[in-house]
Amino acid sequence: MAAGTKASELRELPEEELISLLRDAKAELFNLRVQSATGQLDNNRRLQVIRREIARIYTIMRERELGLSAAPTEVTA
């Protein structure tokens, strides 16, 4: 996941892709925490960036659940 992914970009993604991004972000966060605990972490800022991206994904998923925003519909040409 790229650093600084905007919420508007995430809103354009289908539910399956959001779940995939969430899984990847959580795995990266786990790896960063392990690196931090062992003293091998080079970029401390990356922890905060990943936590915020996870929060953005959860927010968009919750908005869809509450009906505040809709998932993009696939247009077949």
Side-chain angles (χ1 to χ4, degrees), residues 2 8 27 31 48 63 72:
S8 60
N31 290 332
Q48 183 179 7
E63 285 176 353

Side-chain angles (χ1 to χ4, degrees), residues 2 9 16 28-29 34 43 45-46 64 68 74:
E9 295 172 2
E16 298 82 25
E28 184 177 352
L29 181 63
V34 169
N43 186 0
R45 174 86 171 119
R46 189 70 181 147
R64 290 180 183 176
L68 299 175
E74 290 187 24

Side-chain angles (χ1 to χ4, degrees), residues 17-68:
E17 200 165 336
L18 275 179
I19 293 171
S20 174
L21 286 174
L22 180 63
R23 189 176 301 120
D24 293 343
K26 283 187 168 188
E28 184 177 352
L29 181 63
F30 174 78
N31 290 332
L32 289 172
R33 284 182 175 164
V34 169
Q35 288 178 6
S36 178
T38 59
Q40 298 174 347
L41 186 61
D42 295 329
N43 186 0
N44 292 329
R45 174 86 171 119
R46 189 70 181 147
L47 279 169
Q48 183 179 7
V49 169
I50 293 297
R51 282 198 309 264
R52 284 184 184 212
E53 288 186 8
I54 290 171
R56 275 191 197 102
I57 293 170
Y58 274 132
T59 300
I60 292 166
M61 291 171 71
R62 182 67 177 157
E63 285 176 353
R64 290 180 183 176
E65 182 180 319
L66 294 175
L68 299 175

